[in-house]
Amino acid sequence: MTLDLIIRDARLSDGAAPVDIGLAQGRIATIGAGLASDAPTLDAQGGLAFRGFADSHLHLDKACILERAVNRTGDLKGALAAVTAAKRDFTTEDVYARGARVLEQAIGQGTTLIRTQVEIDPVIGLAGFEAVRQLKRDYSWALDLQICVFPQEGLLNYPGTEELLRAALAEGADLLGGCPYTDTDPEGQIALLFEMARAFGVDLDLHLDFDLDTSWRHLDEVARQTIAFGIQGRVAIGHVTKLSMLPPAALAQSVALLQEAGIALTVLPATDLFITGRGHDHAVPRGVAPAHRFHAAGVCCTVATNNVLNPFTPYGDCSLPRMANLFANVAQLGSIEELTACFEMVSSAPFRLLGVSDRIEVGGPADLVLLPCESRASAVAEIRRPVWGLRGGRMTFEAPAPRILRP
């Protein structure tokens, strides 16, 4: 067998002995110990090789706009108002440039799969969608990008939005999103979104229940519609910050509801921490849904970036280990098992949500990322940065570990 490259001494799972991985023609040709070949080699030094991180919820179209959009109040209303004003000046070229900046950060952090949320309405039209669609093509050498189009500022209350969403879906958007809490008729929006998803044969990913008032929520209606339409396993919900305020019995009921409806939960800790609880001057609630409780019950749960350098989240470097570490801190998770679960929520779980296999096996694509550690838990605990990545057997980035220079 003629190999193009051999990766020496890489671990494929926690505690496993290092193995060699032989690559040929962009695929994994063989896996074993002490592979004999004259092919070039890449020393993994006992590090952890995996398929890379997956970001299940990232807004490329409104990233990196801090200099032109200020959240005057710090809360959700202030963030929405700031982006609404800034969006009037968005162009396809502008969205593309800012999106490319974020994608290149993500690639360098070992992310190989992203679901991006793209706003569609009569103000921005399809300009953002067209920019992100081009980004999907131009960066396919390094990662896969799913495009979720959604109405950030309402649907039924915003004439012309439905037609634009349908146009984006007809032109190749991968799935449909929603934001019921910004609509004058939230349940009407939910009903229309489910009808549109069925018409176009796409999955749904909804921004949901983004506040701390537990006296009402849209989760129950989304679950009801999911079951009624028979699309269990094809609906995801993001934020759902109300879940952070539920006592144990009510939380257990919500876990059971998501289990029954087959709905995935995405938690966005950086944004949820920054936005929620602004009305409290002491004992400020965290506002981060306890994804680990749902994960432990078998619900597909992911932790994601959401926003980068904008009024919703005025920071970010696209590091998913950092985001998993942030969630672990907020949820007060510290055991090996808990930290491993946090790693899964930025890797295998979002891969599953986005319908992509993360298996490393003979015959599979030579898409690999190397972490300089031996376990998934330590990657989260130490916020380990990947040192290199491959796609189709080609190097996509390098970030060598610091070299200590002793006197």
Side-chain angles (χ1 to χ4, degrees):
M1 181 185 302
T2 301
L3 299 177
D4 300 325
L5 178 69
I6 296 178
I7 300 169
R8 300 283 187 193
D9 294 326
R11 299 178 195 272
L12 299 184
S13 60
D14 295 358
V19 296
D20 297 342
I21 307 171
L23 312 181
Q25 298 180 343
R27 307 198 76 81
I28 297 173
T30 183
I31 299 174
L35 295 181
S37 173
D38 294 331
T41 62
L42 187 59
D43 189 0
Q45 300 181 333
L48 184 66
F50 71 122
R51 282 289 302 275
F53 295 107
D55 204 327
S56 62
H57 191 121
L58 175 63
H59 293 262
L60 292 175
D61 58 343
K62 59 188 180 190
C64 307
I65 58 171
L66 278 181
E67 74 284 354
R68 62 178 104 164
V70 178
N71 187 341
R72 302 293 180 188
T73 58
D75 59 9
L76 177 62
K77 185 177 180 180
L80 287 168
V83 172
T84 296
K87 192 164 52 176
R88 298 190 186 102
D89 296 323
F90 285 5
T91 64
T92 299
E93 295 74 19
D94 170 51
V95 173
Y96 183 95
R98 290 184 286 103
R101 172 182 168 184
V102 174
L103 284 182
E104 290 178 14
Q105 279 189 305
I107 292 165
Q109 297 285 7
T111 298
T112 59
L113 177 62
I114 294 173
R115 173 177 289 176
T116 184
Q117 305 275 340
V118 179
E119 295 187 21
I120 302 289
D121 59 45
V123 171
I124 184 65
L126 296 180
F129 168 67
E130 290 165 357
V132 173
R133 184 172 54 174
Q134 189 61 46
L135 287 168
K136 178 177 181 175
R137 300 188 192 106
D138 291 350
Y139 284 89
S140 61
W141 55 269
L143 49 73
D144 291 313
L145 190 63
Q146 283 189 4
I147 302 175
C148 178
V149 291
F150 83 109
Q152 172 72 83
E153 297 176 46
L155 177 54
L156 299 178
N157 61 310
Y158 208 159
T161 301
E162 179 184 346
E163 292 76 12
L164 287 165
L165 285 169
R166 290 182 181 275
L169 290 167
E171 292 180 24
D174 298 293
L175 70 160
L176 179 62
C179 198
Y181 60 79
T182 62
D183 208 304
T184 52
D185 182 4
E187 293 199 357
Q189 181 184 128
I190 293 168
L192 179 55
L193 291 172
F194 273 85
E195 291 287 355
M196 290 175 63
R198 178 165 63 183
F200 285 91
V202 296
D203 292 357
L204 285 166
D205 193 333
L206 310 177
H207 295 66
L208 211 63
D209 297 346
F210 195 11
D211 64 74
L212 303 178
D213 181 359
T214 59
S215 65
W216 64 272
R217 67 182 189 180
H218 299 132
L219 173 58
D220 302 277
E221 179 61 15
V222 170
R224 188 186 72 79
Q225 294 275 19
T226 300
I227 294 170
F229 275 76
I231 56 172
Q232 293 93 326
R234 299 186 60 185
V235 177
I237 53 177
H239 294 296
V240 207
T241 50
K242 294 176 187 287
L243 295 174
S244 68
M245 303 297 286
L246 296 180
L251 183 63
Q253 291 175 347
S254 296
V255 171
L257 181 65
L258 265 62
Q259 286 175 315
E260 179 186 7
I263 294 175
L265 171 65
T266 295
V267 175
L268 309 158
T271 302
D272 298 345
L273 282 166
F274 180 75
I275 292 291
T276 59
R278 291 281 178 166
H280 295 251
D281 60 9
H282 67 283
V284 180
R286 293 182 171 95
V288 177
H292 57 296
R293 304 292 187 197
F294 292 81
H295 175 85
V299 174
C300 181
C301 290
T302 68
V303 170
T305 300
N306 195 39
N307 285 293
V308 177
L309 304 177
N310 75 10
F312 289 88
T313 317
Y315 27 70
D317 59 0
C318 295
S319 167
L320 285 171
R322 183 178 68 82
M323 204 58 63
N325 176 280
L326 176 61
F327 176 78
N329 268 270
V330 172
Q332 299 178 321
L333 307 177
S335 71
I336 298 298
E337 293 76 16
E338 290 170 334
L339 294 175
T340 300
C342 290
F343 185 95
E344 292 172 358
M345 286 190 273
V346 294
S347 56
S348 57
F351 265 87
R352 185 167 71 253
L353 173 62
L354 274 62
V356 180
S357 171
D358 71 333
R359 290 178 61 85
I360 296 175
E361 56 189 356
V362 173
D367 300 347
L368 300 166
V369 171
L370 185 77
L371 285 167
C373 54
E374 298 181 5
S375 74
R376 287 156 171 76
S378 62
V380 174
E382 302 175 51
I383 316 182
R384 288 288 193 164
R385 178 170 183 166
V387 293
W388 52 252
L390 297 169
R391 184 170 172 89
R394 174 191 173 277
M395 192 75 75
T396 56
F397 76 93
E398 287 183 304
R403 188 163 58 93
I404 304 303
L405 305 177
R406 299 186 183 279

